[in-house]
Amino acid sequence: MSTTPAATGAAVVPPLFQGLFDDAAVFPPGNLPVAEAVPAHRAHRAAPYADAVGPLLCGAGRLGELTAAVGAADGTGPRLRVGLVLPGGSSELGPALAAAAPFELAGVELATRDAREAVAALDLLLPPDVPAVVELPRELLRGDGLEEVLDVLVDSPYRAKFRTGGVVAGAFPDEAELAGFLTGCAQRGLPYKCTAGLHHAVRHTDPVTGFEHHGFLNVLLAAAETDPKAAAEVLAERSGEVLAEAVRELTDRQVTAIRNSFTAFGTCSIAEPLDDLAALGLLSPALTPQEDR
């Protein structure tokens, strides 16, 4: 697979990374004010690396701020693409869809404790052209709970969502837990997205917090596995060189299969993952944010 641009012509984002990075700038730990996140996102969407960037993610409770921020802008540019995040469950869905009317709705991310109830609410209220993902608390996905939830979602039009980090150590699943989710989805052909803790390409220990972070390259490569043990081994790999070489060896068919499974993840930094890819030789430096070069 070609992971760097040709010697001639404009640099392009390789297919493995296209649309991979949903802009979660307003969420922890970034916590960028909405009024700053809107112009920053528009700048990402106008940058040479725009093909790598997904929608701006916004919680239901902040849609008023988002509307005000967009209204305060100069009005130029395309309609803002927004991914609507609903941490409060299905009761938020109807009001949030109405409040999101000024934006191009790229998708809905619905947190719930009842997958069947969430699917029913989405079936009832979600416009047919809007995709959705369903997230359940990790404690409900242990043991038989994971199998039950994935079986519900595989019979629906909706993807699964898994939380891979947060602001406390317990928010980070270990390799075995994440591998169980990834391979459970792979065995069913169920697409999914991840969120939190994946700002960097390679698995590492954060030097400040001591938290164990999964790398998004690890997750991309583990997405190709259907055996939990094999997936856990890929997730545990800490060598960027090993992971980068594995990426270079992917065929176009493998890339398509991986991205049909692992569709995106939310990151409060767009620059960090792009910089990591450039450092590993998987992305042209011309496709990293100018301020970081």
Side-chain angles (χ1 to χ4, degrees):
M1 182 195 74
S2 176
T3 57
T4 54
T8 59
V12 295
V13 175
L16 186 63
F17 312 122
Q18 289 178 9
L20 183 62
F21 310 113
D22 286 353
D23 188 351
V26 303
F27 290 87
N31 294 315
L32 191 67
V34 173
E36 297 178 25
V38 169
H41 181 75
R42 290 198 185 279
H44 291 317
R45 296 299 306 161
Y49 54 85
D51 285 346
V53 183
L56 178 65
L57 302 181
C58 183
R62 306 192 73 177
L63 285 171
E65 291 179 70
L66 187 63
T67 301
V70 171
D74 60 11
T76 62
R79 195 176 179 209
L80 190 68
R81 292 186 72 241
V82 173
L84 187 56
V85 181
L86 307 180
S90 301
S91 63
E92 293 185 321
L93 181 57
L97 289 173
F103 313 113
E104 179 187 346
L105 191 56
V108 169
E109 303 184 12
L110 179 60
T112 183
R113 298 189 69 86
D114 186 335
R116 293 186 186 280
E117 186 273 338
V119 167
L122 290 166
D123 284 346
L124 180 64
L125 297 174
L126 194 68
D129 60 337
V130 177
V133 298
V134 176
E135 174 189 1
L136 275 86
R138 283 174 42 223
E139 65 265 21
L140 298 183
L141 298 180
R142 298 191 174 109
D144 292 339
L146 176 63
E147 303 292 319
E148 293 172 4
V149 168
L150 297 186
D151 284 344
V152 169
L153 294 181
V154 80
D155 290 330
S156 80
Y158 312 118
R159 291 173 288 155
K161 178 181 174 182
F162 194 77
R163 193 159 293 273
T164 46
V167 295
V168 296
F172 293 80
D174 63 18
E175 296 99 317
E177 182 182 352
L178 180 52
F181 171 80
L182 299 180
T183 56
C185 290
Q187 291 160 8
R188 292 167 173 80
L190 176 64
Y192 54 87
K193 75 166 291 186
C194 297
T195 193
L198 294 179
H199 301 172
H200 289 290
V202 181
R203 182 175 179 84
H204 65 284
T205 304
D206 187 283
V208 176
T209 65
F211 297 164
E212 290 291 319
H213 286 251
H214 294 284
F216 66 82
L217 280 186
N218 299 76
V219 179
L220 282 166
L221 291 166
E225 304 289 346
T226 56
D227 175 64
K229 183 178 179 181
E233 290 175 354
V234 175
L235 293 172
E237 178 59 61
R238 291 174 178 265
S239 169
E241 292 183 2
V242 168
L243 293 173
E245 184 58 31
V247 167
R248 293 187 184 97
E249 292 176 354
L250 293 173
T251 66
D252 291 344
R253 179 175 294 182
Q254 288 173 318
V255 168
T256 298
I258 287 170
R259 290 305 310 279
N260 284 343
S261 295
F262 180 24
T263 60
F265 69 92
T267 172
C268 64
S269 171
I270 298 298
E272 287 177 354
L274 295 176
D275 286 345
D276 277 11
L277 291 176
L280 290 168
L282 299 177
L283 189 73
S284 167
L287 295 173
T288 57
Q290 294 288 329
E291 61 267 24
D292 287 355
R293 295 192 304 176

